[in-house]
């Protein structure tokens, strides 16, 4: 199966491909609906996904100008209320005033496109731009691990490549871009600056990946079988019938965009177990 001409890559699809070419084929080319739970504790996972989605929705409403007391008046989830209170206290520290919540940008990538959906881009015109990603999981990864994530690579690259219209028509230089992950459970933030050298490196790697995927006629199963325990396709691949446990799942790059399937769990990437 080959890539359709109008295919648009995302951090999720590239991450899936990097994990397992066969998963990429099943999910994006064959659009195979998922036959197995991602983890053993599926109900708990769904609760976390729902809670994360509600948190993102709250922030979006706040960013478009709805007062906090109106937003929280009928909320009955104490954990969600605590996250939101922490966000109000520290989530917006040192952010430029011009804000673009829940914005998508698309740039060319080889013969295809690359789309990034941002939680928030905050811009100080001609000066700097900060990408913010809200996380509702409890575990805070190390900064070097976050720097290597496909999400970081794609988000910073796409803003540098395609963010001129947010900056008065002038491209935002990489060294004026920062990616910031903010963690709702403790209010911790991890800031990852960007550079021209990293931009050049990311562009080369993203183009290489896209070209490799476009040229593929077959998509082999990953040799790293540990990934299969947390993959929705393990039954199809004859890679076991038991899901891994939620506690052991890192949630990264496994299944953060299953929209179109049973669950609308686009926010699953925000849950770093
Ligand atoms: S079960 Fe394993 S081999 Fe099959 S798609 Fe998932 S990760 Fe790839």
């Amino acid at each position: 199966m080959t890539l359709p001409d109008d295919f648009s890559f995302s951090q999720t699809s590239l991450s899936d491909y990097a994990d397992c070419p066969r998963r990429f084929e099943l999910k994006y080319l064959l659009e195979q609906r998922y036959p197995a739970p991602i983890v053993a504790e599926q109900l708990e996972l769904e609760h976390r996904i729902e809670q994360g989605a509600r948190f993102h929705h709250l922030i979006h409403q706040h960013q478009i100008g709805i007062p906090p007391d109106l937003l929280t008046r009928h909320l009955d989830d104490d954990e969600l209320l605590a996250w939101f209170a922490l966000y109000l206290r520290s989530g917006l520290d040192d952010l430029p005033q011009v804000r673009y919540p829940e914005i998508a940008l698309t740039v060319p990538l080889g013969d295809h496109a690359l789309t990034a959906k941002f939680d928030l881009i905050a811009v100080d015109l001609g000066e700097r731009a900060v990408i913010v990603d809200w996380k509702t999981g409890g575990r805070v990864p190390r900064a070097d691990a976050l720097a290597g994530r496909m999400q970081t690579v794609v988000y910073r690259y796409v803003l540098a490549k395609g963010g001129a219209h947010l900056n008065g028509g002038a491209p935002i230089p990489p060294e004026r871009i920062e990616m910031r992950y903010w963690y709702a459970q403790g209010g911790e933030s991890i800031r990852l600056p960007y550079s021209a050298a990293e931009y050049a490196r990311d562009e080369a790697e993203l183009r290489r990946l896209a070209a490799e995927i476009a040229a593929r006629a077959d998509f082999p199963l990953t040799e790293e079988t540990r990934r299969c325990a947390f993959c929705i396709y393990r039954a199809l691949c004859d890679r076991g019938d038991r899901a891994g446990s939620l506690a052991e799942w890192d949630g990264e790059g496994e299944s953060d965009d299953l929209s179109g399937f049973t669950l609308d769990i686009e926010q699953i990437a925000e849950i770093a177990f």
Side-chain angles (χ1 to χ4, degrees), residues 85-139:
L86 200 49
Y87 152 82
L88 292 173
R89 283 206 300 278
S90 69
L92 302 170
D93 284 355
D94 187 33
L95 277 186
Q97 284 307 313
V98 180
R99 311 264 171 85
Y100 299 94
E102 300 203 2
I103 182 173
L105 299 179
T106 297
V107 299
L109 183 64
D111 294 331
H112 293 86
L114 173 63
T115 297
K117 295 177 187 170
F118 302 86
D119 285 346
L120 179 69
I121 298 174
V123 180
D124 191 349
L125 214 62
E127 293 297 324
R128 66 186 183 121
V130 181
I131 300 162
V132 185
D133 199 74
W134 316 110
K135 297 289 188 194
T136 54
R139 199 164 73 199

Short mmCIF file of all heavy atoms in Angstrom, two decimals, residues 85-139:
data_model
loop_
_atom_site.label_atom_id
_atom_site.label_comp_id
_atom_site.label_asym_id
_atom_site.label_seq_id
_atom_site.Cartn_x
_atom_site.Cartn_y
_atom_site.Cartn_z
N ALA A 85 -6.62 25.63 38.93
CA ALA A 85 -6.13 26.65 39.86
C ALA A 85 -4.62 26.84 39.70
O ALA A 85 -4.10 27.97 39.71
CB ALA A 85 -6.47 26.26 41.29
N LEU A 86 -3.92 25.73 39.52
CA LEU A 86 -2.47 25.79 39.34
C LEU A 86 -2.12 26.47 38.01
O LEU A 86 -1.19 27.27 37.92
CB LEU A 86 -1.90 24.36 39.40
CG LEU A 86 -0.41 24.21 39.69
CD1 LEU A 86 0.02 25.01 40.90
CD2 LEU A 86 -0.09 22.72 39.89
N TYR A 87 -2.88 26.15 37.01
CA TYR A 87 -2.69 26.80 35.71
C TYR A 87 -2.85 28.32 35.84
O TYR A 87 -2.06 29.10 35.31
CB TYR A 87 -3.69 26.23 34.70
CG TYR A 87 -4.09 27.17 33.58
CD1 TYR A 87 -3.29 27.33 32.45
CD2 TYR A 87 -5.27 27.91 33.66
CE1 TYR A 87 -3.65 28.20 31.43
CE2 TYR A 87 -5.64 28.78 32.65
CZ TYR A 87 -4.83 28.92 31.55
OH TYR A 87 -5.20 29.80 30.55
N LEU A 88 -3.87 28.74 36.59
CA LEU A 88 -4.10 30.18 36.76
C LEU A 88 -2.95 30.83 37.53
O LEU A 88 -2.58 31.97 37.27
CB LEU A 88 -5.42 30.44 37.49
CG LEU A 88 -6.69 30.08 36.71
CD1 LEU A 88 -7.92 30.23 37.60
CD2 LEU A 88 -6.85 30.95 35.46
N ARG A 89 -2.36 30.07 38.47
CA ARG A 89 -1.28 30.63 39.28
C ARG A 89 0.04 30.67 38.53
O ARG A 89 0.80 31.62 38.65
CB ARG A 89 -1.09 29.79 40.57
CG ARG A 89 -2.13 30.07 41.63
CD ARG A 89 -1.58 29.75 43.03
NE ARG A 89 -1.19 28.35 43.17
CZ ARG A 89 -2.04 27.36 43.43
NH1 ARG A 89 -3.32 27.62 43.58
NH2 ARG A 89 -1.61 26.11 43.55
N SER A 90 0.34 29.62 37.75
CA SER A 90 1.70 29.57 37.18
C SER A 90 1.78 29.12 35.72
O SER A 90 2.85 29.20 35.12
CB SER A 90 2.56 28.62 38.02
OG SER A 90 2.11 27.27 37.83
N GLY A 91 0.67 28.70 35.16
CA GLY A 91 0.72 28.14 33.80
C GLY A 91 1.04 29.15 32.72
O GLY A 91 1.46 28.79 31.63
N LEU A 92 0.80 30.42 33.04
CA LEU A 92 0.99 31.44 32.02
C LEU A 92 2.18 32.35 32.32
O LEU A 92 2.35 33.40 31.69
CB LEU A 92 -0.29 32.29 31.90
CG LEU A 92 -1.56 31.49 31.55
CD1 LEU A 92 -2.81 32.34 31.70
CD2 LEU A 92 -1.46 30.95 30.13
N ASP A 93 3.03 31.91 33.25
CA ASP A 93 4.19 32.73 33.65
C ASP A 93 5.07 33.06 32.45
O ASP A 93 5.43 32.18 31.67
CB ASP A 93 5.04 31.98 34.68
CG ASP A 93 4.39 32.00 36.06
OD1 ASP A 93 3.35 32.67 36.20
OD2 ASP A 93 4.92 31.32 36.96
N ASP A 94 5.40 34.34 32.34
CA ASP A 94 6.40 34.76 31.36
C ASP A 94 6.01 34.44 29.91
O ASP A 94 6.87 34.20 29.07
CB ASP A 94 7.75 34.08 31.71
CG ASP A 94 8.89 34.59 30.85
OD1 ASP A 94 8.87 35.77 30.48
OD2 ASP A 94 9.77 33.77 30.49
N LEU A 95 4.71 34.43 29.65
CA LEU A 95 4.28 34.16 28.27
C LEU A 95 3.95 35.47 27.56
O LEU A 95 3.32 36.35 28.14
CB LEU A 95 3.02 33.29 28.26
CG LEU A 95 3.16 31.79 28.40
CD1 LEU A 95 1.81 31.13 28.20
CD2 LEU A 95 4.17 31.24 27.40
N PRO A 96 4.35 35.60 26.29
CA PRO A 96 3.95 36.78 25.51
C PRO A 96 2.43 36.95 25.48
O PRO A 96 1.68 35.99 25.63
CB PRO A 96 4.50 36.45 24.12
CG PRO A 96 5.62 35.50 24.34
CD PRO A 96 5.23 34.70 25.53
N GLN A 97 2.02 38.18 25.28
CA GLN A 97 0.60 38.52 25.43
C GLN A 97 -0.28 38.11 24.25
O GLN A 97 -1.47 37.87 24.40
CB GLN A 97 0.45 40.02 25.67
CG GLN A 97 0.81 40.45 27.07
CD GLN A 97 0.06 39.65 28.13
OE1 GLN A 97 -1.15 39.48 28.05
NE2 GLN A 97 0.79 39.13 29.12
N VAL A 98 0.28 38.05 23.05
CA VAL A 98 -0.55 37.67 21.90
C VAL A 98 -0.65 36.14 21.87
O VAL A 98 0.37 35.45 21.76
CB VAL A 98 0.06 38.19 20.57
CG1 VAL A 98 -0.83 37.78 19.39
CG2 VAL A 98 0.23 39.70 20.63
N ARG A 99 -1.86 35.65 22.02
CA ARG A 99 -2.04 34.20 22.22
C ARG A 99 -2.88 33.59 21.10
O ARG A 99 -3.93 34.12 20.73
CB ARG A 99 -2.75 33.95 23.55
CG ARG A 99 -2.13 34.71 24.73
CD ARG A 99 -1.16 33.82 25.49
NE ARG A 99 -0.41 34.59 26.48
CZ ARG A 99 -0.84 34.86 27.72
NH1 ARG A 99 -2.00 34.38 28.11
NH2 ARG A 99 -0.09 35.55 28.54
N TYR A 100 -2.44 32.45 20.63
CA TYR A 100 -3.20 31.67 19.63
C TYR A 100 -3.47 30.29 20.22
O TYR A 100 -2.67 29.36 20.05
CB TYR A 100 -2.41 31.55 18.34
CG TYR A 100 -2.10 32.87 17.67
CD1 TYR A 100 -0.89 33.52 17.91
CD2 TYR A 100 -3.02 33.46 16.81
CE1 TYR A 100 -0.61 34.75 17.31
CE2 TYR A 100 -2.75 34.68 16.21
CZ TYR A 100 -1.55 35.31 16.47
OH TYR A 100 -1.28 36.52 15.88
N PRO A 101 -4.59 30.12 20.93
CA PRO A 101 -4.89 28.79 21.49
C PRO A 101 -5.43 27.85 20.44
O PRO A 101 -6.13 28.26 19.50
CB PRO A 101 -5.96 29.10 22.55
CG PRO A 101 -6.62 30.34 22.08
CD PRO A 101 -5.60 31.12 21.29
N GLU A 102 -5.07 26.59 20.59
CA GLU A 102 -5.56 25.51 19.72
C GLU A 102 -5.51 25.89 18.24
O GLU A 102 -6.53 25.98 17.56
CB GLU A 102 -6.97 25.10 20.15
CG GLU A 102 -6.95 24.61 21.58
CD GLU A 102 -8.09 23.69 21.96
OE1 GLU A 102 -8.91 23.38 21.08
OE2 GLU A 102 -8.13 23.29 23.12
N ILE A 103 -4.32 26.10 17.80
CA ILE A 103 -4.10 26.51 16.41
C ILE A 103 -3.35 25.39 15.68
O ILE A 103 -2.49 24.72 16.26
CB ILE A 103 -3.31 27.84 16.36
CG1 ILE A 103 -3.11 28.29 14.91
CG2 ILE A 103 -1.99 27.75 17.11
CD1 ILE A 103 -2.49 29.68 14.79
N ALA A 104 -3.70 25.21 14.40
CA ALA A 104 -3.01 24.21 13.57
C ALA A 104 -2.23 24.92 12.47
O ALA A 104 -2.72 25.90 11.88
CB ALA A 104 -4.01 23.24 12.96
N LEU A 105 -1.02 24.46 12.21
CA LEU A 105 -0.21 24.99 11.11
C LEU A 105 0.22 23.82 10.23
O LEU A 105 0.54 22.74 10.73
CB LEU A 105 1.05 25.69 11.62
CG LEU A 105 0.88 26.91 12.54
CD1 LEU A 105 2.26 27.44 12.95
CD2 LEU A 105 0.11 28.01 11.84
N THR A 106 0.23 24.07 8.92
CA THR A 106 0.66 23.03 7.98
C THR A 106 1.77 23.59 7.09
O THR A 106 1.67 24.72 6.62
CB THR A 106 -0.53 22.58 7.10
OG1 THR A 106 -1.53 22.00 7.95
CG2 THR A 106 -0.11 21.54 6.08
N VAL A 107 2.81 22.78 6.91
CA VAL A 107 3.92 23.19 6.06
C VAL A 107 4.20 22.06 5.07
O VAL A 107 3.81 20.91 5.31
CB VAL A 107 5.19 23.49 6.90
CG1 VAL A 107 4.95 24.61 7.88
CG2 VAL A 107 5.69 22.24 7.61
N PRO A 108 4.88 22.37 3.96
CA PRO A 108 5.25 21.28 3.04
C PRO A 108 6.33 20.39 3.64
O PRO A 108 7.18 20.87 4.40
CB PRO A 108 5.80 22.03 1.80
CG PRO A 108 5.72 23.47 2.07
CD PRO A 108 5.32 23.68 3.50
N LEU A 109 6.28 19.11 3.29
CA LEU A 109 7.34 18.19 3.71
C LEU A 109 7.56 17.24 2.54
O LEU A 109 6.79 16.30 2.32
CB LEU A 109 6.93 17.42 4.97
CG LEU A 109 8.01 16.49 5.53
CD1 LEU A 109 9.24 17.27 6.00
CD2 LEU A 109 7.47 15.64 6.68
N GLY A 110 8.61 17.50 1.76
CA GLY A 110 8.82 16.73 0.54
C GLY A 110 7.63 16.92 -0.39
O GLY A 110 7.19 18.05 -0.63
N ASP A 111 7.08 15.81 -0.87
CA ASP A 111 5.91 15.89 -1.76
C ASP A 111 4.61 15.88 -0.98
O ASP A 111 3.53 15.80 -1.58
CB ASP A 111 5.92 14.68 -2.71
CG ASP A 111 7.11 14.72 -3.65
OD1 ASP A 111 7.57 15.85 -3.96
OD2 ASP A 111 7.58 13.65 -4.07
N HIS A 112 4.70 15.93 0.34
CA HIS A 112 3.50 15.87 1.15
C HIS A 112 3.43 17.08 2.08
O HIS A 112 4.07 18.11 1.80
CB HIS A 112 3.46 14.54 1.92
CG HIS A 112 3.29 13.36 1.03
ND1 HIS A 112 4.36 12.73 0.42
CD2 HIS A 112 2.18 12.71 0.60
CE1 HIS A 112 3.92 11.74 -0.35
NE2 HIS A 112 2.60 11.70 -0.25
N ALA A 113 2.63 16.97 3.12
CA ALA A 113 2.46 18.08 4.06
C ALA A 113 2.73 17.56 5.47
O ALA A 113 2.69 16.36 5.73
CB ALA A 113 1.06 18.65 3.95
N LEU A 114 2.98 18.50 6.35
CA LEU A 114 3.19 18.18 7.76
C LEU A 114 2.35 19.14 8.58
O LEU A 114 2.47 20.37 8.43
CB LEU A 114 4.67 18.32 8.12
CG LEU A 114 5.04 18.18 9.60
CD1 LEU A 114 4.72 16.77 10.12
CD2 LEU A 114 6.54 18.47 9.80
N THR A 115 1.47 18.59 9.42
CA THR A 115 0.57 19.43 10.21
C THR A 115 0.86 19.27 11.69
O THR A 115 1.09 18.16 12.17
CB THR A 115 -0.90 19.02 9.93
OG1 THR A 115 -1.19 19.27 8.56
CG2 THR A 115 -1.87 19.83 10.78
N ALA A 116 0.85 20.39 12.40
CA ALA A 116 0.99 20.36 13.86
C ALA A 116 -0.20 21.08 14.47
O ALA A 116 -0.57 22.16 14.01
CB ALA A 116 2.30 21.02 14.28
N LYS A 117 -0.79 20.47 15.50
CA LYS A 117 -1.89 21.10 16.23
C LYS A 117 -1.36 21.50 17.60
O LYS A 117 -1.01 20.64 18.41
CB LYS A 117 -3.05 20.12 16.40
CG LYS A 117 -3.70 19.71 15.09
CD LYS A 117 -4.78 18.67 15.38
CE LYS A 117 -5.33 18.10 14.08
NZ LYS A 117 -6.20 16.93 14.32
N PHE A 118 -1.32 22.79 17.83
CA PHE A 118 -0.71 23.31 19.06
C PHE A 118 -1.77 23.61 20.11
O PHE A 118 -2.85 24.13 19.79
CB PHE A 118 0.03 24.63 18.76
CG PHE A 118 1.10 24.52 17.71
CD1 PHE A 118 0.80 24.65 16.36
CD2 PHE A 118 2.43 24.30 18.07
CE1 PHE A 118 1.78 24.57 15.38
CE2 PHE A 118 3.42 24.22 17.11
CZ PHE A 118 3.10 24.35 15.75
N ASP A 119 -1.44 23.38 21.37
CA ASP A 119 -2.32 23.83 22.45
C ASP A 119 -2.33 25.36 22.50
O ASP A 119 -3.39 25.97 22.65
CB ASP A 119 -1.83 23.31 23.81
CG ASP A 119 -2.14 21.83 24.00
OD1 ASP A 119 -2.93 21.27 23.21
OD2 ASP A 119 -1.59 21.23 24.94
N LEU A 120 -1.15 25.94 22.40
CA LEU A 120 -1.05 27.41 22.48
C LEU A 120 0.26 27.88 21.86
O LEU A 120 1.31 27.28 22.12
CB LEU A 120 -1.10 27.85 23.96
CG LEU A 120 -0.98 29.35 24.23
CD1 LEU A 120 -2.23 30.10 23.76
CD2 LEU A 120 -0.77 29.61 25.72
N ILE A 121 0.16 28.94 21.07
CA ILE A 121 1.36 29.65 20.64
C ILE A 121 1.21 31.09 21.14
O ILE A 121 0.19 31.74 20.89
CB ILE A 121 1.52 29.65 19.11
CG1 ILE A 121 1.66 28.22 18.58
CG2 ILE A 121 2.75 30.47 18.70
CD1 ILE A 121 1.68 28.12 17.05
N ALA A 122 2.21 31.56 21.87
CA ALA A 122 2.19 32.93 22.39
C ALA A 122 3.32 33.70 21.72
O ALA A 122 4.46 33.22 21.68
CB ALA A 122 2.36 32.92 23.90
N VAL A 123 2.98 34.88 21.19
CA VAL A 123 3.94 35.59 20.35
C VAL A 123 4.16 37.01 20.86
O VAL A 123 3.22 37.73 21.20
CB VAL A 123 3.44 35.66 18.89
CG1 VAL A 123 4.44 36.41 18.00
CG2 VAL A 123 3.19 34.26 18.34
N ASP A 124 5.42 37.38 20.91
CA ASP A 124 5.82 38.77 21.14
C ASP A 124 6.36 39.22 19.78
O ASP A 124 7.47 38.84 19.39
CB ASP A 124 6.91 38.81 22.22
CG ASP A 124 7.16 40.21 22.71
OD1 ASP A 124 6.67 41.14 22.07
OD2 ASP A 124 7.88 40.36 23.72
N LEU A 125 5.56 39.98 19.05
CA LEU A 125 5.81 40.28 17.65
C LEU A 125 7.26 40.73 17.39
O LEU A 125 7.74 41.68 17.99
CB LEU A 125 4.84 41.37 17.19
CG LEU A 125 4.36 41.29 15.74
CD1 LEU A 125 3.60 40.02 15.47
CD2 LEU A 125 3.52 42.51 15.39
N GLY A 126 7.94 40.04 16.50
CA GLY A 126 9.31 40.39 16.14
C GLY A 126 10.34 40.01 17.19
O GLY A 126 11.54 40.21 16.99
N GLU A 127 9.88 39.48 18.31
CA GLU A 127 10.81 39.19 19.41
C GLU A 127 10.96 37.69 19.67
O GLU A 127 12.03 37.14 19.54
CB GLU A 127 10.35 39.88 20.70
CG GLU A 127 10.42 41.39 20.65
CD GLU A 127 11.86 41.87 20.47
OE1 GLU A 127 12.78 41.25 21.04
OE2 GLU A 127 12.07 42.87 19.75
N ARG A 128 9.85 37.03 20.03
CA ARG A 128 9.96 35.63 20.39
C ARG A 128 8.60 34.95 20.29
O ARG A 128 7.56 35.64 20.28
CB ARG A 128 10.53 35.45 21.80
CG ARG A 128 9.61 35.96 22.88
CD ARG A 128 10.27 35.88 24.25
NE ARG A 128 9.33 36.33 25.27
CZ ARG A 128 8.91 35.59 26.29
NH1 ARG A 128 9.38 34.37 26.46
NH2 ARG A 128 8.06 36.05 27.17
N ALA A 129 8.62 33.64 20.26
CA ALA A 129 7.38 32.87 20.24
C ALA A 129 7.56 31.66 21.16
O ALA A 129 8.62 31.03 21.17
CB ALA A 129 7.05 32.40 18.83
N VAL A 130 6.51 31.37 21.94
CA VAL A 130 6.56 30.24 22.87
C VAL A 130 5.42 29.28 22.52
O VAL A 130 4.26 29.68 22.44
CB VAL A 130 6.42 30.71 24.34
CG1 VAL A 130 6.49 29.50 25.28
CG2 VAL A 130 7.50 31.73 24.69
N ILE A 131 5.79 28.03 22.31
CA ILE A 131 4.80 26.97 22.11
C ILE A 131 4.54 26.34 23.48
O ILE A 131 5.50 25.94 24.16
CB ILE A 131 5.36 25.87 21.18
CG1 ILE A 131 5.74 26.44 19.82
CG2 ILE A 131 4.37 24.72 21.05
CD1 ILE A 131 6.69 25.52 19.03
N VAL A 132 3.26 26.26 23.87
CA VAL A 132 2.95 25.63 25.16
C VAL A 132 2.15 24.37 24.92
O VAL A 132 1.20 24.35 24.14
CB VAL A 132 2.15 26.58 26.07
CG1 VAL A 132 1.96 25.93 27.45
CG2 VAL A 132 2.86 27.92 26.23
N ASP A 133 2.54 23.31 25.62
CA ASP A 133 1.79 22.06 25.57
C ASP A 133 1.41 21.67 26.99
O ASP A 133 2.29 21.49 27.84
CB ASP A 133 2.64 20.97 24.91
CG ASP A 133 1.77 19.82 24.43
OD1 ASP A 133 1.08 19.99 23.41
OD2 ASP A 133 1.79 18.76 25.08
N TRP A 134 0.11 21.58 27.28
CA TRP A 134 -0.36 21.26 28.63
C TRP A 134 -0.34 19.75 28.83
O TRP A 134 -0.88 19.01 28.00
CB TRP A 134 -1.78 21.78 28.84
CG TRP A 134 -2.02 23.16 28.34
CD1 TRP A 134 -2.78 23.53 27.28
CD2 TRP A 134 -1.49 24.38 28.90
NE1 TRP A 134 -2.77 24.89 27.13
CE2 TRP A 134 -1.98 25.44 28.10
CE3 TRP A 134 -0.65 24.69 29.97
CZ2 TRP A 134 -1.67 26.77 28.35
CZ3 TRP A 134 -0.33 26.01 30.21
CH2 TRP A 134 -0.84 27.02 29.42
N LYS A 135 0.23 19.30 29.93
CA LYS A 135 0.29 17.87 30.23
C LYS A 135 -0.46 17.58 31.53
O LYS A 135 -0.24 18.29 32.52
CB LYS A 135 1.74 17.41 30.39
CG LYS A 135 2.59 17.57 29.13
CD LYS A 135 2.19 16.59 28.07
CE LYS A 135 3.14 16.59 26.89
NZ LYS A 135 2.59 15.89 25.73
N THR A 136 -1.25 16.54 31.53
CA THR A 136 -2.01 16.21 32.74
C THR A 136 -1.52 14.94 33.43
O THR A 136 -2.09 14.54 34.43
CB THR A 136 -3.51 16.08 32.42
OG1 THR A 136 -3.68 15.15 31.36
CG2 THR A 136 -4.10 17.41 32.02
N GLY A 137 -0.51 14.31 32.89
CA GLY A 137 0.04 13.11 33.53
C GLY A 137 0.92 13.47 34.72
O GLY A 137 1.38 14.62 34.85
N GLY A 138 1.17 12.51 35.58
CA GLY A 138 1.91 12.79 36.79
C GLY A 138 3.42 12.76 36.63
O GLY A 138 4.14 13.44 37.34
N ARG A 139 3.89 11.95 35.70
CA ARG A 139 5.34 11.78 35.58
C ARG A 139 5.92 12.84 34.66
O ARG A 139 5.46 13.02 33.54
CB ARG A 139 5.63 10.39 35.02
CG ARG A 139 7.05 9.96 35.29
CD ARG A 139 7.22 8.47 35.09
NE ARG A 139 7.20 8.12 33.66
CZ ARG A 139 6.97 6.90 33.21
NH1 ARG A 139 6.70 5.94 34.04
NH2 ARG A 139 6.98 6.64 31.92
#
